[in-house]
Amino acid sequence: MLDSSFVLHIPILSNNDSAIGTVSLWADFVYKPDSAYPTLVPLMLTTYGIVNHPSFSCAASRLSGNLSIHIPEVLFSDQMTRMWMYLEYSPHLSVSGKNYWYLKNFGVIIK
């Protein structure tokens, strides 16, 4: 869900690791524009945690080994607009203990 203050909440973020199996996380991001990168849509990770007993009431987002995130459906605060998003981790923006992703690709979901 993306709310009106540009906070993105991912309720289930699934990561398949061959050593430990599937790990389910939740994560919150906030939009943080950066004047040095005016064409990027940067999202800073604000909070996250492990989901011990996930219930898959929605399609799980996927976290890949290179830290890219595929979100199959984001519901906007108007409760009507839906998009899919692909976020890519940015080591250039991730400094001083803050982790950033940027919107690499997206599309509107028409139902």
Side-chain angles (χ1 to χ4, degrees):
M1 170 138 198
L2 183 68
D3 72 14
S4 58
S5 57
F6 296 105
V7 173
L8 175 65
H9 174 68
I10 303 175
I12 302 287
L13 183 57
S14 182
N15 181 17
N16 294 324
D17 186 309
S18 60
I20 60 174
T22 300
V23 176
S24 295
L25 307 165
W26 62 267
D28 289 331
F29 298 83
V30 65
Y31 171 62
K32 290 283 190 181
D34 188 326
S35 60
Y37 301 95
T39 61
L40 289 183
V41 177
L43 297 161
M44 183 181 74
L45 178 66
T46 57
T47 54
Y48 65 94
I50 295 174
V51 178
N52 292 317
H53 304 287
S55 83
F56 293 93
S57 59
C58 60
S61 299
R62 290 187 317 272
L63 175 67
S64 69
N66 66 356
L67 300 180
S68 62
I69 298 172
H70 176 261
I71 308 168
E73 186 171 343
V74 176
L75 177 62
F76 282 66
S77 59
D78 66 6
Q79 298 296 309
M80 296 182 332
T81 306
R82 298 173 187 277
M83 298 180 77
W84 61 267
M85 294 181 175
Y86 181 82
L87 308 177
E88 194 162 294
Y89 179 73
S90 175
H92 301 293
L93 295 175
S94 299
V95 293
S96 303
K98 297 185 187 321
N99 293 297
Y100 283 85
W101 280 254
Y102 65 92
L103 185 61
K104 175 82 174 184
N105 204 350
F106 65 93
V108 175
I109 299 172
I110 300 172
K111 289 192 176 194

